[in-house]
Amino acid sequence: MRIDIITVLPELLQSPFSHSILKRAKDKGLLQVNTYNLRDYTTYKHGQVDDYQFGGGAGMVMMPEPMANAIETLSKDISYDDIIYLTPDGKRFDQREANHLSLQQNLLIICGHYKGIDERIRQHFITKEISIGDYVLSGGELAAAVLVDAIGRLLPGVLNDETSALMDSFQDNLLAPPVYTRPADFRNWKVPEVLLSGDPKKVEEWRHDQSLQRTKQRRPDLLGDF
Ligand code: ADE
């Protein structure tokens, strides 16, 4: 899978993809992440990519021309399944969307800054608008890192244990059950007996029950779909 990202801060996106699971995904050739500096696509002086908003008001808007130029230049060589704009007024990102996006071949992600991008770019190029939560970030880069991480770990062959992504919270609209490791007795805080029983059926039942209880307590909204 290939994910291209248009940003004014490519440096901010170097580190998140250079460690751990995403690094492994890249090293194995399962995921390619490319960042493109929007300033390389402007014809304005001094690398200008933003301007005052029509109608007045505080805050700059990212100009349509450099963005259209960047999108069109990249789209000449690659056919994107989706061109995603990260914005607080987009559809809230969730595991279902991560699953869906992980099945695509080529994605282009646009990171906004300041007041956002010119509305005409949204209307004419963007195929999907995504928010990572009901709060405002100073730019789309950290949201892009969240998206790429959530998508990248789902690609077949990225996680060592193929089943482990399937057992994540949210995969079946339930939160994950509690987990324990050695020692079985730590400061007299004991691991539930059933996990030491060696009976896989009982363990599975216990985990499912714990997931259900945890979801009821913490996220009853998830059970609405049940
Ligand atoms: N850009 C700024 N805030 C954002 C958010 N909450 N989600 C996605 N992109 C953003």
Side-chain angles (χ1 to χ4, degrees):
M1 175 179 207
R2 171 176 172 152
I3 303 181
D4 292 345
I5 306 174
I6 298 175
T7 167
V8 286
L9 289 173
E11 317 80 48
L12 203 56
L13 287 168
Q14 294 314 308
S15 174
F17 312 132
S18 308
H19 306 277
S20 185
I21 286 169
L22 288 191
K23 179 174 188 302
R24 198 188 323 145
K26 288 206 297 185
D27 291 347
K28 282 184 173 175
L30 300 168
L31 175 66
Q32 192 190 344
V33 184
N34 307 303
T35 52
Y36 297 90
N37 192 333
L38 182 64
R39 293 189 201 283
D40 293 340
Y41 296 89
T42 185
T43 53
Y44 293 85
K45 267 190 247 163
H46 311 301
Q48 186 186 354
V49 292
D50 60 326
D51 209 339
Y52 295 101
Q53 55 176 314
F54 281 125
M60 308 292 271
V61 175
M62 294 173 90
M63 302 156 102
E65 196 189 333
M67 194 63 86
N69 189 13
I71 295 172
E72 280 172 344
T73 304
L74 291 171
S75 300
K76 268 186 206 146
D77 296 328
I78 304 134
S79 165
Y80 292 108
D81 299 299
D82 263 315
I83 301 181
I84 300 169
Y85 175 47
L86 292 166
T87 172
D89 59 5
K91 180 166 179 280
R92 187 105 57 86
F93 189 54
D94 59 14
Q95 193 63 40
R96 179 194 293 249
E97 187 63 42
N99 291 341
H100 170 75
L101 291 175
S102 75
L103 300 174
Q104 308 298 327
Q105 285 300 307
N106 301 306
L107 296 176
L108 178 60
I109 298 179
I110 312 293
C111 301
H113 263 263
Y114 324 113
K115 278 276 166 201
I117 63 174
D118 189 284
E119 186 65 20
R120 291 164 291 185
I121 295 294
R122 295 173 74 157
Q123 285 168 354
H124 296 284
F125 291 102
I126 301 298
T127 60
K128 190 166 264 186
E129 301 193 326
I130 294 180
S131 162
I132 64 158
D134 290 345
Y135 40 80
V136 179
L137 301 167
S138 53
E141 285 74 14
L142 295 180
V146 167
L147 236 69
V148 173
D149 190 291
I151 295 167
R153 62 191 294 285
L154 294 174
L155 300 176
V158 170
L159 295 183
N160 276 340
D161 179 352
E162 282 277 357
T163 61
S164 69
L166 295 174
M167 297 300 283
D168 287 343
S169 280
F170 306 114
Q171 281 298 9
D172 49 8
N173 258 3
L174 291 179
L175 301 182
V179 291
Y180 298 86
T181 185
R182 286 188 292 181
D185 184 343
F186 172 64
R187 300 182 179 174
N188 210 25
W189 302 329
K190 302 214 171 68
V191 168
E193 274 302 322
V194 58
L195 295 179
L196 311 174
S197 70
D199 182 338
K201 194 161 169 278
K202 272 195 190 150
V203 169
E204 195 40 54
E205 275 168 17
W206 180 85
R207 285 187 174 147
H208 184 72
D209 187 55
Q210 290 287 315
S211 282
L212 212 53
Q213 284 185 34
R214 198 161 260 206
T215 312
K216 266 185 205 157
Q217 278 163 6
R218 300 180 184 196
R219 293 291 307 275
D221 56 300
L222 293 175
L223 294 169
D225 294 355
F226 247 55

